Structures are given as C-alpha cells and as structure tokens.
Amino acid sequence: NFADAVATFVDRIAKRAVDKRREMAEERARRKAAGEPDSEEEGSEEVELSREERLGPGGLDPVEVFETLPESLQEAFHSQDTLKLKAAIAAMPIDEAKYHMKRCEDSGLWVPER
C-alpha cells in the first residue's frame, strides 16, 4: 500500500545517505594516500555535468526535479532527514506524493530496490 511504499522510500534514502557518506570518506582517504587534493581542499575544481550527463534512468534531470519539488521535500532531501521526508510525504495528497516520488525515481534522486 502507499504507506508501505513511503516507508520503503524513506528507508532507502536513509541507507543511501549512509552509503554515500562512507563512499565519500573512502574517496577522501584514497585521494589523501595518493597525494591528490581533496575536493574540499583548495586547488580542487568542481566539474559541472551537462544536462545530458545528469539525466536519470527515467530521462529526467535530477537538478530540475529537485528544484520543482515542494520546499518541504527539498529541505528533507537536502538535510537527509528521514523524519522530515516522511512528514513531507504524509502531508501531501496521495496523488501529489506519488507524482513527486515517481519523478524522484525517474531522475535518479531515489533509486528503488528491485
């Protein structure tokens, strides 16, 4: 049912956040060991991807999708706060929540377990 889908969605986001933080820490350690500048250190350069390079599995741009999300969802994603995400989804009409969740999936902001 919908409530289960929302709970699963929130759990996946929380797990991905933990995985992403671990991956970032491993990358920083690898760069440090190799003597490369860390992305947070001076001298590093942020590379901006083209829209085509950013497209998610459903053909949507995650930047564009994020910018069109309601503010409550943007804040929840940005803060990686699963309670905020649950509250934001629960506060929406079901059709609106499904619409935004589908767009998050199509853009790669949310990757469901298969």
Side-chain angles (χ1 to χ4, degrees), residues 46-62:
E46 204 171 291
V47 177
E48 187 168 328
L49 299 175
S50 71
R51 183 181 184 283
E52 291 74 28
E53 292 173 311
R54 289 191 311 250
L55 295 181
L60 297 181
D61 180 352

Side-chain angles (χ1 to χ4, degrees), residues 4-105:
D4 291 340
V6 170
T8 302
F9 172 68
V10 171
D11 288 343
R12 288 184 194 135
I13 289 173
K15 288 175 186 172
R16 180 63 187 134
V18 170
D19 291 344
K20 184 68 174 174
R21 285 187 189 123
R22 181 184 38 77
E23 290 168 5
M24 290 171 63
E26 290 171 355
E27 178 63 16
R28 276 194 294 275
R30 186 198 64 75
R31 286 179 173 269
K32 187 174 184 178
E36 299 174 16
D38 187 47
S39 62
E40 296 173 4
E41 293 177 1
E42 201 171 310
S44 66
E45 187 175 312
E46 204 171 291
V47 177
E48 187 168 328
L49 299 175
S50 71
R51 183 181 184 283
E52 291 74 28
E53 292 173 311
R54 289 191 311 250
L55 295 181
L60 297 181
D61 180 352
V63 173
E64 291 174 8
V65 170
F66 181 84
E67 290 173 350
T68 62
L69 292 175
E71 190 173 330
S72 59
L73 281 178
Q74 286 184 18
E75 289 174 9
F77 272 109
H78 185 70
S79 67
Q80 298 178 350
D81 185 331
T82 56
L83 293 177
K84 276 186 184 178
L85 184 61
K86 285 180 183 180
I89 292 290
M92 291 180 190
I94 291 175
D95 290 341
E96 184 180 350
K98 286 180 179 180
Y99 168 78
H100 288 299
M101 288 174 65
K102 176 69 172 142
R103 288 176 48 82
C104 287
E105 182 179 336

